[in-house]
Amino acid sequence: MSAAVSAEPAVTGDGVTANNFNNNNSIGNSKNNNNDHEPRNNGTYAFGTILENSSNNNSSSTATTVVSSRSSMYSNSSRSSSYHTQHLKSAYGASEEMLEAEKAGLVERVNDLERIVLEQKDEIVCLKSTLADVLRRLSTIDNNYDGNKPLDSNSPNSSTMSSKSFRFSRNTITRLNSSVDEKRFGRVPSRVTNSPSRNMSTSKASSLAQKAIHHSNGSLHSDSMSSHSISPAPSPSPKQPNMANLAASVGGISVAGAPAGVAGMGKRWSSTGDFVSGSPGPAVNSTSISRFSTKSLLNLNSNLGGGGGSKHHTHAYVQRKDDDDFLKLYISGRPIVLHLPEAQISTYETTKVQPTPNRRLRLDWVYGYRGKDCRSNLYQLPTGEMVYFVAAVVILYNMDEQSQRHYVSHTDDVKSLAVHPNKLLVATGQCGGHEGRETWPHIRVWNSVSLVTQNVIGMGEFTGAINCLSFSRADSGTILAAIDDSPDKIISIWDWQKKENGKRITETKCSVDTIVAVEFHPLDKGQIITIGKNHIAFWSLDHNGMLYKRMGVFENREKPKYVTAISFTPTGDVVTGDSNGNISIWARGTNIISRFLKKVHEGSVFSICSLRNGGFVSGGKDGRLVLLDDLMRLKAEQLVEPHFGAVRVVAQGKGSQLLIGTTKNCILSGDFTLGLVPIVMGHTDLLWSLASHPQVAQFVTGGRDRLLQLWDSLSHSVVWSKDIGEPIQSVQFSNTGDVIIVGGVSGRWMVFDTFTRELLAVYQDGQDVIQTIKFSPDGNLLALGSKDSYIYIYQCTKVSHRFSKIGKCTGHSSFVSHMDWSKDSQVLRTNSGDYELLYWNPTLCRQITNHGTVRNLEWATQSCTVCFETVGIWPENFDGTDINSVCKDGGEQFLVTADDTGKIRLFTYPASQPKCLSHAYRGHSSHVTAVKFMHDGVRLLSAGGLDTSVLQWRVV
């Protein structure tokens, strides 16, 4: 029976059950032999109890009981095993479902956390920016209070109070910026100071900082690096520097003039920059600047003749014999005779040096915007200002307060702009110029609140313009990507906080074709996307500084000629627009398209803006703004009026407002409900003509873009704009300001009503360009100088737009370039393209050859660049075309020049000495074509040529 019993489990075929039975049986038997062992489970204990109770019965009954019990146990165990297997399977499936659900929920929560963190960062940045802006304003108020407080200059408390007030505000801002940098980057980044000497002792630098207490003045070569202007009330004037301290500390105080690092330019131009340079450009050694300054001072005497037994006084380009009543000015090797006024014949000496004016210029307002050929250059800052650029100036414009501040440390065209994730720092890249090291292409990282340069990056490392910039976003902006618009289109990655010139991590050839934009991925560290002609590329930057590229795959979709716009979804997908008007969504972490929206625009998609609510706004060549929701469904459309141009840039402004930059250099503001209004307007082509109203604060400009625009200098806005159908070369108001005379390029000149912009009359003189237009002071005569070398004279009538032709003056051998009327309206003097200076009797249209009758005349205006009053404006080794325009103020205190180097210079009037010192100012990036004082003599206007901008300056 025992054998039968032991064999039974094998018969069942259930190995698991048999083994369990044998184990349980042995456990039960061992329990009988050893009471110290506890039963392992309830089943084993029950089965052992059955065996114990059946041991007293006979063998047959025992066998029957055991077999029946075993059979029952086997069947129960089999059913239990099946049940448990099914239960485990269902539990495993439920567990998988729970894990999947948990995983999906986790991803969603992570995305929500990322979004919340970004929102909180934005809020913190906004608070910090607001606090910094408040401190900046308090500092300005402190300085203004100290500047206006009537303290005794001899009192020791006057300078002490001013220094304390300034030092408190300045240090507070510095501490704020330092704390922000430490929290954001783990350390305070290196900063480039604007002192020419970086090795200056701390005490000396501190003392110089306390001495240079000025309101921001807006010029690169002025007392402050920044500019701040508010409309319509003028900004307070800055304090004048202490000249005694100025001489004692040449290396540390910023004063007007050309950059001291450019020795060649310093020798060419005589200006205060030859003695003291405070350019916010790259600093130079104080020893070298001291040697340079000394050399310039010595040159003033060493190059001047007339000592000892000399029979005549000479100069490098000006000569005069002792008994002569005239000078010879040599321009391009050609002598020009300039007759001295009788009162100065006996006293005039070529050895005298005319000092700089006792006043300076401050940049007051910048008109224009560069949207024609630049992208991604319009942003809203947390301080309420929008930032954009034109020419060599970066503008921070507060639309609510109608105020501008200016970053003016660039030396040539600004081409790119990027805002740091902390919304406080801004990076701007520029083109290369031709004036030495300071005009090399480079990047500047600066603080948008204090306008202090944090670092100058890549000086001497780039060969082309800095076309695109982007701060990293997933690691709080520690690195910066730049595209060098050289023939090889180099992409370089910079640790912009390292050293004083930045540390280049890596660079590589990006593409042989045009690169439109570069952007760091907002969520994935080290991921970079570039777009441009025929491509989109996904780059990965590893820990060793190596870049790896994957090209975007369009598969069976139409490959565009250009990928023109890029943005990101909140989940990290890449959104691009192309030249075919399509929008593509590239899944995060891939290089393939997951969604494709066809023909959203007719023509190129120039910009895609990601909104705070998860939607998008796209703008294109067709002038349409398209609003898409977070699922990329069309919600609304808005059309930009054609005369503003196509949409170049879309940025989110305050609240639901949008900022729109256009291809015709305009900036619009508005939304899809209330429409769009222009807030910035400008020209789009060569700007050559400029005239100020004789009685009110208005001026008119005309360009090769055929636009005639009337501006108000108090509200800083366009009164009206008109396309006259012909490129404009010259403009002029009548003496009463009722009409505007416009000279074209085909000999035609037109008369427009100032108030209604109505075309009143059209006249024709020759077939060449009308170069210059002047009314006589008494308003009876009108003179027009033409490229055909003639001067056309008209009689004005009682009807403002009616003119009667008197005749034309002939005698110039080249085109007429500049004209001036005498104050008595009896004589006209003119310059030509070959530097002639001729005098005319306008009523007879005859040349005056008797210089005795004209040498003592006083002139109503100062437009001629070649005359006795402008001898000192010409630099050594100059070309006659270097200076394009000159102008004097109504009080005849100042003379301003505009030259081909992009500078305007302020002289004391008249600049009749061969050596005249001046203040030099930079803001334009192209040749400055015109300068005009306004009717009040306080404000000055300058027109850039190719940079299409107008800068408004204030005499302070």
Side-chain angles (χ1 to χ4, degrees):
M1 289 298 294
S2 63
V5 172
S6 63
E8 187 66 21
V11 177
T12 65
D14 190 348
V16 175
T17 304
N19 291 336
N20 287 340
F21 170 76
N22 292 332
N23 291 336
N24 292 337
N25 190 16
S26 62
I27 293 170
N29 293 333
S30 65
K31 186 177 185 301
N32 293 331
N33 298 326
N34 188 359
N35 294 327
D36 293 335
H37 292 182
E38 296 292 332
R40 295 191 180 182
N41 52 49
N42 294 335
T44 304
Y45 182 80
F47 192 67
T49 304
I50 294 174
L51 293 179
E52 280 186 311
N53 293 334
S54 62
S55 60
N56 297 326
N57 301 331
N58 56 44
S59 59
S60 60
S61 62
T62 301
T64 303
T65 303
V66 171
V67 170
S68 62
S69 300
R70 290 172 60 188
S71 299
S72 175
M73 186 65 184
Y74 292 154
S75 61
N76 292 337
S77 178
S78 177
R79 288 194 300 270
S80 176
S81 175
S82 175
Y83 170 78
H84 284 295
T85 301
Q86 294 177 358
H87 180 71
L88 288 174
K89 288 182 178 180
S90 61
Y92 181 75
S95 176
E96 284 188 336
E97 292 178 359
M98 291 176 61
L99 289 175
E100 290 294 333
E102 183 67 20
K103 182 178 179 181
L106 181 62
V107 172
E108 185 177 354
R109 288 196 299 272
V110 169
N111 292 334
D112 290 340
L113 286 174
E114 289 179 341
R115 177 180 54 79
I116 293 172
V117 168
L118 291 176
E119 290 177 354
Q120 290 178 345
K121 283 184 178 180
D122 289 341
E123 292 175 358
I124 293 173
V125 166
C126 183
L127 291 174
K128 290 180 178 179
S129 301
T130 303
L131 178 58
D133 190 53
V134 168
L135 292 175
R136 177 185 62 80
R137 293 169 186 268
L138 289 175
S139 176
T140 303
I141 294 172
D142 288 345
N143 293 336
N144 294 341
Y145 174 77
D146 291 331
N148 296 325
K149 188 172 182 179
L151 290 177
D152 184 4
S153 60
N154 298 323
S155 172
N157 295 330
S158 59
S159 60
T160 303
M161 291 181 63
S162 178
S163 300
K164 287 182 179 179
S165 175
F166 174 79
R167 187 166 61 251
F168 170 77
S169 301
R170 183 67 176 268
N171 290 344
T172 307
I173 295 176
T174 305
R175 288 196 299 271
L176 173 69
N177 295 334
S178 300
S179 63
V180 171
D181 292 330
E182 288 174 355
K183 292 178 181 178
R184 179 68 65 182
F185 308 114
R187 65 183 187 282
V188 179
S190 60
R191 289 173 170 78
V192 175
T193 63
N194 293 291
S195 169
S197 174
R198 293 194 180 102
N199 299 321
M200 184 186 298
S201 65
T202 304
S203 59
K204 184 176 181 180
S206 176
S207 63
L208 293 176
Q210 294 176 21
K211 291 174 183 177
I213 304 171
H214 301 287
H215 187 274
S216 55
N217 62 7
S219 171
L220 177 65
H221 303 292
S222 300
D223 303 282
S224 174
M225 300 188 325
S226 63
S227 167
H228 184 199
S229 57
I230 301 175
S231 172
S235 300
S237 301
K239 296 181 181 179
Q240 295 298 324
N242 187 329
M243 299 306 294
N245 294 332
L246 185 66
S249 54
V250 165
I253 300 179
S254 175
V255 179
V262 188
M265 290 304 298
K267 292 179 180 179
R268 289 190 63 195
W269 296 95
S270 297
S271 70
T272 54
D274 293 340
F275 306 100
V276 183
S277 176
S279 169
V284 295
N285 186 273
S286 60
T287 305
S288 64
I289 191 172
S290 299
R291 289 197 302 268
F292 176 67
S293 303
T294 304
K295 185 176 180 181
S296 298
L297 287 168
L298 293 176
N299 285 341
L300 295 180
N301 296 322
S302 62
N303 290 335
L304 299 176
S310 176
K311 294 183 180 180
H312 60 274
H313 300 298
T314 61
H315 189 270
Y317 59 95
V318 178
Q319 293 183 359
R320 184 207 175 193
K321 293 182 180 179
D322 288 338
D323 53 354
D324 283 343
D325 62 352
F326 61 86
L327 303 173
K328 284 187 178 180
L329 172 66
Y330 288 85
I331 300 180
S332 297
R334 177 175 179 172
I336 302 164
V337 177
L338 305 176
H339 292 268
L340 298 172
E342 290 182 356
Q344 298 189 41
I345 292 176
S346 60
T347 59
Y348 184 83
E349 296 180 7
T350 58
T351 57
K352 289 183 179 180
V353 178
Q354 183 170 294
T356 58
N358 58 0
R359 315 225 4 221
R360 289 190 171 90
L361 298 178
R362 184 191 67 213
L363 185 58
D364 192 37
W365 200 268
V366 176
Y367 301 90
Y369 161 72
R370 185 164 184 168
K372 181 180 178 180
D373 58 351
C374 292
R375 304 166 185 264
S376 302
N377 61 350
L378 178 62
Y379 295 93
Q380 181 77 35
L381 298 178
T383 55
E385 297 169 312
M386 65 181 74
V387 57
Y388 58 96
F389 58 75
V390 68
V393 183
V394 186
I395 302 104
L396 296 99
Y397 174 41
N398 191 312
M399 187 167 52
D400 296 334
E401 299 179 1
Q402 283 295 298
S403 63
Q404 279 188 357
R405 296 188 297 131
H406 311 107
Y407 181 76
V408 291
S409 295
H410 281 284
T411 55
D412 212 286
D413 281 294
V414 181
K415 286 295 296 290
S416 54
L417 187 151
V419 177
H420 193 276
N422 67 12
K423 305 297 177 66
L424 287 174
L425 301 179
V426 177
T428 45
Q430 73 167 57
C431 299
H434 307 285
E435 298 179 41
R437 186 177 188 274
E438 287 199 351
T439 60
W440 288 349
H442 63 272
I443 304 166
R444 289 180 174 268
V445 180
W446 47 279
N447 189 299
S448 63
V449 175
S450 63
L451 301 182
V452 172
T453 302
Q454 304 290 310
N455 209 348
V456 179
I457 300 170
M459 187 68 74
E461 302 290 339
F462 299 103
T463 58
I466 313 302
N467 212 32
C468 310
L469 286 172
S470 178
F471 280 104
S472 58
R473 298 164 64 180
D475 59 355
S476 300
T478 57
I479 56 178
L480 179 68
I483 300 294
D484 185 350
D485 195 25
S486 61
D488 291 334
K489 304 296 187 297
I490 302 296
I491 179 174
S492 56
I493 311 299
W494 298 81
D495 185 343
W496 62 269
Q497 300 172 85
K498 290 292 183 66
K499 304 180 181 178
E500 294 180 348
N501 198 30
K503 178 184 177 182
R504 183 172 55 198
I505 299 173
T506 185
E507 68 172 19
T508 186
K509 183 177 179 180
C510 187
S511 172
V512 296
D513 297 316
T514 303
I515 305 298
V516 171
V518 58
E519 290 289 344
F520 276 91
H521 196 282
L523 303 178
D524 297 335
K525 186 177 180 179
Q527 301 300 306
I528 308 169
I529 299 96
T530 59
I531 59 173
K533 187 175 181 180
N534 293 320
H535 84 282
I536 174 173
F538 298 85
W539 302 79
S540 297
L541 178 67
D542 65 12
H543 297 290
N544 298 320
M546 297 295 293
L547 278 172
Y548 303 92
K549 180 171 71 171
R550 293 181 300 162
M551 299 301 296
V553 178
F554 289 89
E555 296 177 327
N556 58 349
R557 296 180 178 86
E558 178 185 10
K559 186 176 181 180
K561 185 176 181 180
Y562 280 89
V563 180
T564 52
I566 183 171
S567 186
F568 300 91
T569 67
T571 58
D573 294 341
V574 181
V575 182
T576 61
D578 60 40
S579 55
N580 297 328
N582 306 323
I583 291 181
S584 305
I585 296 92
W586 308 74
R588 179 178 178 180
T590 70
N591 62 337
I592 59 175
I593 298 174
S594 60
R595 289 189 62 189
F596 188 79
L597 307 179
K598 193 171 183 179
K599 295 297 181 183
V600 178
H601 290 269
E602 294 294 330
S604 298
V605 181
F606 284 147
S607 181
I608 300 175
C609 175
S610 177
L611 302 178
R612 299 185 187 97
N613 61 7
F616 296 89
V617 175
S618 63
K621 188 176 182 180
D622 56 4
R624 291 168 55 241
L625 293 170
V626 177
L627 176 62
L628 305 170
D629 63 11
D630 55 348
L631 299 178
M632 306 303 287
R633 295 174 300 194
L634 179 64
K635 301 295 291 183
E637 293 186 16
Q638 180 80 37
L639 182 64
V640 176
E641 296 181 28
H643 62 271
F644 292 129
V647 178
R648 175 66 78 189
V649 182
V650 181
Q652 189 156 16
K654 293 183 178 180
S656 61
Q657 283 191 335
L658 297 174
L659 301 176
I660 312 298
T662 73
T663 56
K664 289 190 176 180
N665 295 342
C666 299
I667 298 178
L668 314 176
S669 176
D671 55 29
F672 286 90
T673 303
L674 301 177
L676 303 172
V677 294
I679 55 176
V680 175
M681 295 184 67
H683 288 273
T684 59
D685 206 344
L686 182 65
L687 180 60
W688 195 269
S689 53
L690 170 69
S692 59
H693 196 286
Q695 298 175 358
V696 298
Q698 292 182 344
F699 62 96
V700 65
T701 58
R704 293 298 175 90
D705 56 3
R706 308 181 305 182
L707 283 181
L708 181 68
Q709 298 193 127
L710 180 67
W711 306 76
D712 187 281
S713 65
L714 294 180
S715 64
H716 307 121
S717 60
V718 174
V719 179
W720 54 257
S721 179
K722 185 179 182 67
D723 188 336
I724 69 169
E726 181 178 352
I728 301 171
Q729 179 68 23
S730 54
V731 293
Q732 183 64 45
F733 281 98
S734 64
N735 289 4
T736 59
D738 295 336
V739 297
I740 302 171
I741 312 297
V742 179
V745 297
S746 60
R748 188 172 69 158
W749 54 281
M750 292 152 279
V751 184
F752 290 90
D753 188 280
T754 303
F755 304 102
T756 65
R757 63 182 172 182
E758 178 186 357
L759 176 62
L760 301 177
V762 178
Y763 298 85
Q764 185 80 34
D765 284 304
Q767 301 297 321
D768 287 321
V769 177
I770 304 298
Q771 293 283 134
T772 178
I773 304 170
K774 286 285 184 180
F775 280 92
S776 62
D778 60 12
N780 292 327
L781 297 175
L782 172 66
L784 300 99
S786 174
K787 196 172 183 179
D788 62 10
S789 305
Y790 299 136
I791 303 160
Y792 299 92
I793 307 297
Y794 281 81
Q795 178 75 44
C796 301
T797 66
K798 293 182 179 180
V799 181
S800 59
H801 63 276
R802 299 287 185 183
F803 301 92
S804 177
K805 190 171 184 178
I806 296 177
K808 64 181 180 181
C809 303
T810 61
H812 275 297
S813 58
S814 182
F815 65 90
V816 180
S817 58
H818 304 91
M819 296 190 303
D820 287 311
W821 285 93
S822 62
K823 289 184 178 180
D824 60 7
S825 301
Q826 299 300 310
V827 178
L828 181 70
R829 70 177 178 185
T830 55
N831 286 158
S832 65
D834 55 1
Y835 324 125
E836 290 176 316
L837 173 62
L838 301 182
Y839 298 89
W840 309 89
N841 183 330
T843 56
L844 300 176
C845 295
R846 291 182 181 178
Q847 183 180 348
I848 299 174
T849 57
N850 181 7
H851 295 285
T853 62
V854 297
R855 69 167 70 243
N856 297 319
L857 288 177
E858 294 182 348
W859 302 96
T861 59
Q862 180 63 62
S863 299
C864 289
T865 58
V866 180
C867 59
F868 175 71
E869 292 82 2
T870 62
V871 169
I873 70 173
W874 295 99
E876 299 176 19
N877 305 319
F878 58 89
D879 183 273
T881 61
D882 281 345
I883 297 177
N884 301 310
S885 178
V886 298
C887 182
K888 69 175 180 179
D889 68 309
E892 298 187 347
Q893 300 180 58
F894 312 110
L895 179 70
V896 179
T897 67
D899 61 47
D900 280 347
T901 66
K903 299 187 187 73
I904 64 172
R905 296 176 181 272
L906 181 67
F907 295 84
T908 300
Y909 182 83
S912 54
Q913 295 297 139
K915 277 291 184 180
C916 291
L917 303 183
S918 65
H919 301 305
Y921 301 88
R922 189 190 298 274
H924 292 286
S925 58
S926 175
H927 50 283
V928 188
T929 56
V931 284
K932 299 290 181 186
F933 272 100
M934 300 200 70
H935 74 289
D936 58 7
V938 175
R939 281 164 295 177
L940 174 76
L941 302 166
S942 60
L946 292 174
D947 66 33
T948 70
S949 67
V950 177
L951 305 187
Q952 180 174 310
W953 309 80
R954 182 178 292 272
V955 178
V956 294

